[in-house]
Amino acid sequence: MIDTGQLLLAEYDQIKQEQRARIGFRDNLIYATLGVMAAVIGSTLARDGQLELLLLLPPLSVTLGWTYLANDEKISAIGRYVRDELAPRLKDLTPEGGEVFGWESAHRRDAHRRSRKRIQLAVDLLTFCAAPLASLTVFWLLGPAQWPLLAVSLAETAMLAGLTVQVVRYADLGG
């Protein structure tokens, strides 16, 4: 028969496994986004500066950025669950009542955490929001002034604004 402590530890192992997988996937999305940027810019330059190709970058960046953000939030949610739910329940089962899963809280008390989170926010905004906005700016300044393409670019600007708000909202800059 399985006791409660064993069950909680099994749950911990499973959600930590999910968290590790999500971290790997999330981190690879940065590289995928950089690859997409290189491909779009390279295609634009290779086709004699057909600047309308730059309109591909914002929707691709928003898609990858939203996927990054959704995975990042789930990674954080797993950490909160371990700290706020699993650890106290397991602590209650230990004879000494000592701290359980201390790392889950200890790394959040690091003196440099706030600065790292701010830098990460800047990187996320630059990668997923500012770079595609720069491609739109180049299109607006140098691209063909055709109303359908301008309408697309304005819709893409709204998408980027929405993603920017969400990236800032989920930045977890608190302690």
Side-chain angles (χ1 to χ4, degrees):
M1 176 162 267
I2 298 175
D3 69 20
T4 304
Q6 291 171 321
L7 190 58
L8 291 174
L9 288 173
E11 181 181 11
Y12 174 77
D13 285 340
Q14 287 298 309
I15 63 174
K16 289 304 281 187
Q17 189 175 27
E18 178 184 344
Q19 189 181 47
R20 280 188 295 276
R22 285 184 178 276
I23 288 169
F25 182 72
R26 177 202 60 192
D27 292 352
N28 282 329
L29 287 167
I30 296 280
Y31 303 122
T33 302
L34 295 174
V36 163
M37 288 178 190
V40 168
I41 292 167
S43 295
T44 302
L45 295 174
R47 296 177 191 243
D48 295 324
Q50 289 182 351
L51 295 178
E52 59 272 15
L53 291 173
L54 292 175
L55 295 178
L56 295 171
L57 190 54
L60 293 171
S61 294
V62 167
T63 301
L64 291 167
W66 179 254
T67 305
Y68 174 92
L69 190 61
N71 272 279
D72 191 58
E73 195 285 323
K74 293 298 180 212
I75 292 163
S76 296
I78 289 170
R80 278 190 307 275
Y81 179 75
V82 169
R83 284 189 309 277
D84 300 342
E85 301 291 329
L86 277 184
R89 289 168 56 202
L90 202 53
K91 181 180 179 178
D92 289 344
L93 296 175
T94 61
E96 305 84 34
E99 186 175 9
V100 180
F101 308 132
W103 174 249
E104 298 291 340
S105 297
H107 74 94
R108 296 181 60 81
R109 293 187 299 264
D110 177 33
H112 303 290
R113 182 177 187 278
R114 279 181 80 83
S115 64
R116 276 197 316 274
K117 293 301 277 184
R118 286 185 179 132
I119 291 167
Q120 186 63 53
L121 173 60
V123 168
D124 293 348
L125 288 171
L126 180 64
T127 303
F128 297 112
C129 304
L133 184 59
S135 75
L136 286 170
T137 303
V138 170
F139 173 77
W140 291 327
L141 294 174
L142 304 173
Q146 300 167 354
W147 74 265
L149 295 176
L150 291 173
V152 167
S153 73
L154 292 175
E156 291 177 347
T157 303
M159 289 177 5
L160 284 171
L163 180 62
T164 300
V165 167
Q166 295 302 314
V167 168
V168 171
R169 182 175 170 213
Y170 285 100
D172 189 24
L173 296 175

